[in-house]
Amino acid sequence: MTEHEPSDRIAWQATDGNVLLRLAGYAKTNPVVANSLGYFYFQTSYALYPRRLYAAPADQVINDGQDIMRIGFSPDPQWLQAHDVRSVLIFGKDNPGEETPRLEILQTRDGRAGRQTNNSGGN
Amino acid sequence: MALLACCLYLLLILLVGYALLSAVHPSNRMTIVQLIGLGPVVGAGTMGLLLFWASLIGFAPSRKVLAIIGVLTLASLLVMKKKQRLARINILAADWEKGDVWIVAPLAITLAGLVMIVVVALSSPLAEWDAFAIWGFKAKVLAHEALRPIPAYFHDLTLSYSHLDYPLMVPFLTAGAYAAMGTIDDQTGKLVSVFLDVLIIPMLYLGLRWKLRRLPAACLSAILAMLPVMFRHAGVGCADLPLTMFYAGSILYVARWIDRQQWPDLILAILFSAFVAFTKNEGTVLALMNGAVLLGYGLWSGRRAWVGAVVFFAGLLAMDAAWLIWNHGLPRTHEDYGSKLLSSALVTHLPRLKEIIPAMLVQTTEFKVWGLLWIMAGVLALLGWRALARPYVLALWVLLVMQLMIYALAYSVTPWDLTVLMPMTMDRLLLHTVPAVILLAGWHWAEVGTGQRIAESTLRENSM
């Protein structure tokens, strides 16, 4: 598997709307993952366009993975709705055994919420 | 189907280039190599600027826009044909000379290098960080939206890593391919990147052939085609080789203007310099350095050369004004080399040159990156030292030294850790100097004797 495949798969799975990038577990603070986080954010932003991968408000500068960790973006549901965010991409693990990155669909076309995909891929 | 559409787009670029060359050199003769070396390069630069201007007035690259460019190009060609102003195409610029049969060997090596570059490039999608994060991303944005109204992308700081202010030549050319294909297919779209990247070889061959015999010119071109640094950076989807290719054209025609002071040479120097400035930010500096050398020569040489320098600056400004104005208000990253090089930071960071210059010197001796290119160029410069008496050779040396100086100074003001940045980027930056190095190697070789091209009087007319 090449490095860009997780991003391409996520872009394909997140069929509608924009995506929020949420950091979990070690990815919130561990500087070791900053590089792979940056690569993943750049690649997924590219794969998703013209849809968006939100990792910060538009006035916050992101030049690398460390910026994403520093900002620690966690918008409220109103913000998500206003920005047409339909899924959350989780980078890192809250619990052992979880896959990363993984995609959670917030709202599907038929109105169901909270479905989790079995997306796999290293970071 | 996408591949066919992409090929048609490249054909359109070639036609645009041929039409423009015919306009610059009416009724001239052009060899096949000149058509291959110059036509697509001039066409690509022109296409990039045309798509930018169209986008500025509200038309994103589309099949309609390409069709309009195609119709206008064909109409221009028909008018020029009717008035017998089309450039005529010859097979050879000069008769075969003794020993030219050996050209088969360097030609085969060059072709092998090109085939390897094309195959490797087209077998994968955009994988380099800069390729997708900067250039590919911009191409997607430009394919989706016109520049009027300005797309939200260009003011979104969460995408700052993609350098919102970077020039748009390569993204527009890629967006043009997406428009032709009717879809965003970055793997097929890499054909544009490969196309732009390999054009440097015929372009530099032309520059070498200006003064050198066929065989040594072909040998130097083969060395260029097989440089490890070429394999590293060709076809990856970044803007470094397109910049290098346009820069090769600009310095060649600056040198020719200095040598012959013929207006078509100056026009091509202006065109290529404008393309350089629209390809990467450092291109603006390189274009201005071309102008500075022309101005210096003009003040030393006389009125015609002086007027030429003024015309150069006016032409450059006219072609890139829209870009400079449009780009002016875009957010810069923390790198912003342009501002830093014009601030007091330049002076305070000068001590870092003690670390940078030795690293640059060491880099030029890296066999795995450069082969023996720099050493060979040095040896040829020593053997053909008499070439230094020629103003165009001297001008190229001045350009090379200024380019190396400005790159060293850019490193000195970088916000990044030099020990990390230099190993990652130095081969890419020094790649930009390859045209000057190769041309100097060839033009010095021409003074050694064996390499010198036969007297101009025995050649067929070959003024392009």
Side-chain angles (χ1 to χ4, degrees):
Chain A
M1 185 168 65
T2 59
E3 283 179 287
H4 59 266
E5 281 181 10
S7 300
D8 289 344
R9 195 179 310 121
I10 286 159
W12 179 76
Q13 286 177 333
T15 48
D16 287 322
N18 297 316
V19 180
L20 174 74
L21 179 65
R22 185 169 77 76
L23 304 184
Y26 60 85
K28 290 179 182 174
T29 52
N30 190 343
V32 172
V33 299
N35 206 39
S36 55
L37 172 61
Y39 186 92
F40 180 70
Y41 173 66
F42 302 164
Q43 179 65 50
T44 311
S45 292
Y46 170 73
L48 276 172
Y49 191 86
R51 290 174 296 143
R52 292 294 318 278
L53 175 64
Y54 290 112
D59 60 347
Q60 295 280 312
V61 174
I62 295 181
N63 285 321
D64 51 35
Q66 283 180 339
D67 288 334
I68 301 172
M69 294 165 106
R70 177 181 48 78
I71 293 165
F73 191 43
S74 180
D76 57 33
Q78 287 76 25
W79 191 97
L80 296 178
Q81 198 168 13
H83 290 80
D84 192 29
V85 173
R86 311 261 184 102
S87 43
V88 178
L89 181 55
I90 299 162
F91 187 90
K93 300 175 185 181
D94 284 319
N95 301 300
E98 285 180 342
E99 293 193 38
T100 179
R102 64 187 188 279
L103 190 73
E104 286 183 5
I105 307 295
L106 291 179
Q107 185 181 351
T108 57
R109 279 180 180 164
D110 59 6
R112 285 180 297 150
R115 182 169 62 87
Q116 183 169 323
T117 68
N118 289 322
N119 179 43
S120 63
N123 55 18
Chain B
M1 197 62 193
L3 186 63
L4 178 66
C6 199
C7 291
L8 285 174
Y9 172 66
L10 297 181
L11 183 65
L12 175 60
I13 285 175
L14 180 62
L15 278 181
V16 169
Y18 178 55
L20 210 65
L21 288 176
S22 295
V24 174
H25 286 275
S27 312
N28 210 325
R29 288 182 187 171
M30 189 190 293
T31 64
I32 290 285
V33 177
Q34 285 167 335
L35 180 69
I36 295 170
L38 271 183
V41 182
V42 172
T46 307
M47 179 66 82
L49 278 174
L50 287 175
L51 291 175
F52 167 61
W53 292 332
S55 190
L56 271 185
I57 56 173
F59 299 98
S62 65
R63 283 182 174 166
K64 273 184 194 166
V65 170
L66 295 178
I68 290 169
I69 292 172
V71 168
L72 291 176
T73 304
L74 286 175
S76 310
L77 288 171
L78 283 174
V79 169
M80 282 191 278
K81 185 173 172 56
K82 200 172 179 182
K83 293 186 175 179
Q84 296 189 324
R85 291 170 66 93
L86 271 187
R88 287 163 289 162
I89 298 169
N90 290 350
I91 301 296
L92 297 172
D95 293 329
W96 285 90
E97 299 165 49
K98 191 182 173 188
D100 275 354
V101 67
W102 295 107
I103 197 177
V104 173
L107 193 63
I109 292 170
T110 305
L111 286 175
L114 293 181
V115 168
M116 278 192 276
I117 288 170
V118 172
V119 169
V120 170
L122 294 185
S123 59
S124 67
L126 293 180
E128 284 269 329
W129 283 52
D130 282 2
F132 60 77
I134 300 174
W135 308 109
F137 202 145
K138 283 180 167 50
K140 269 190 163 184
V141 172
L142 298 174
H144 275 97
E145 296 178 72
L147 293 178
R148 201 188 71 158
I150 185 164
Y153 161 82
F154 288 99
H155 286 285
D156 188 336
L157 296 181
T158 65
L159 302 170
S160 169
Y161 66 86
S162 69
H163 296 269
L164 307 170
D165 63 315
Y166 271 15
L168 300 174
M169 172 68 82
V170 172
F172 263 115
L173 287 170
T174 311
Y178 293 158
M181 291 188 283
T183 180
I184 292 180
D185 172 354
D186 58 17
Q187 192 156 348
T188 310
K190 275 179 90 180
L191 195 59
V192 174
S193 169
V194 177
F195 175 76
L196 293 174
D197 292 352
V198 300
L199 285 177
I200 190 174
I201 292 166
M203 167 57 79
L204 280 177
Y205 177 77
L206 276 182
L208 292 166
R209 276 290 284 148
W210 180 39
K211 296 295 175 187
L212 261 184
R213 286 179 53 219
R214 195 172 273 123
L215 185 58
C219 287
L220 285 174
S221 301
I223 288 170
L224 171 66
M226 297 304 277
L227 278 182
V229 74
M230 279 287 289
F231 290 105
R232 166 69 186 82
H233 292 289
V236 297
C238 291
D240 290 283
L241 264 166
L243 175 91
T244 310
M245 177 261 297
F246 288 132
Y247 184 58
S250 77
I251 58 176
L252 169 61
Y253 284 94
V254 164
R256 287 176 68 114
W257 164 257
I258 286 173
D259 191 45
R260 313 182 324 160
Q261 292 187 24
Q262 293 189 359
W263 293 109
D265 290 336
L266 186 67
I267 294 170
L268 287 171
I270 294 169
L271 278 177
F272 283 122
S273 298
F275 301 157
V276 169
F278 190 51
T279 304
K280 286 197 81 182
N281 277 341
E282 52 266 54
T284 305
V285 182
L286 298 179
L288 290 175
M289 287 190 328
N290 285 344
V293 164
L294 288 175
L295 189 62
Y297 176 70
L299 294 172
W300 173 68
S301 171
R303 189 168 178 275
R304 186 179 168 88
W306 186 86
V307 170
V310 174
V311 171
F312 176 88
F313 280 112
L316 184 64
L317 187 64
M319 293 197 68
D320 283 336
W323 162 246
L324 295 172
I325 294 167
W326 187 84
N327 160 279
H328 184 68
L330 296 186
R332 266 60 181 164
T333 66
H334 61 318
E335 291 179 355
D336 196 10
Y337 293 108
S339 301
K340 285 183 176 161
L341 287 172
L342 295 173
S343 73
S344 59
L346 181 64
V347 180
T348 54
H349 287 81
L350 277 180
R352 293 177 98 181
L353 291 179
K354 280 188 273 184
E355 185 184 349
I356 295 161
I357 292 172
M360 289 173 90
L361 286 172
V362 169
Q363 168 68 209
T364 60
T365 60
E366 288 279 350
F367 184 78
K368 284 181 184 170
V369 182
W370 301 103
L372 294 172
L373 175 71
W374 290 82
I375 294 164
M376 178 200 70
V379 170
L380 285 170
L382 284 174
L383 292 174
W385 59 273
R386 284 189 176 85
L388 287 170
R390 301 186 186 275
Y392 64 89
V393 174
L394 211 52
L396 198 48
W397 272 109
V398 171
L399 282 169
L400 177 60
V401 170
M402 286 202 299
Q403 189 180 11
L404 290 169
M405 265 174 50
I406 204 78
Y407 283 2
L409 290 172
Y411 273 127
S412 75
V413 296
T414 186
W416 302 104
D417 181 355
L418 274 180
T419 56
V420 176
L421 183 69
M422 286 199 296
M424 278 170 57
T425 58
M426 196 168 276
D427 64 334
R428 195 152 52 94
L429 276 193
L430 287 182
L431 180 65
H432 303 171
T433 65
V434 161
V437 173
I438 290 267
L439 289 177
L440 282 172
W443 295 348
H444 277 283
W445 190 346
E447 295 294 324
V448 176
T450 52
Q452 192 160 27
R453 189 170 178 164
I454 55 176
E456 289 287 330
S457 58
T458 64
L459 295 173
R460 294 175 194 158
E461 183 190 358
N462 175 32
S463 62
M464 195 168 283

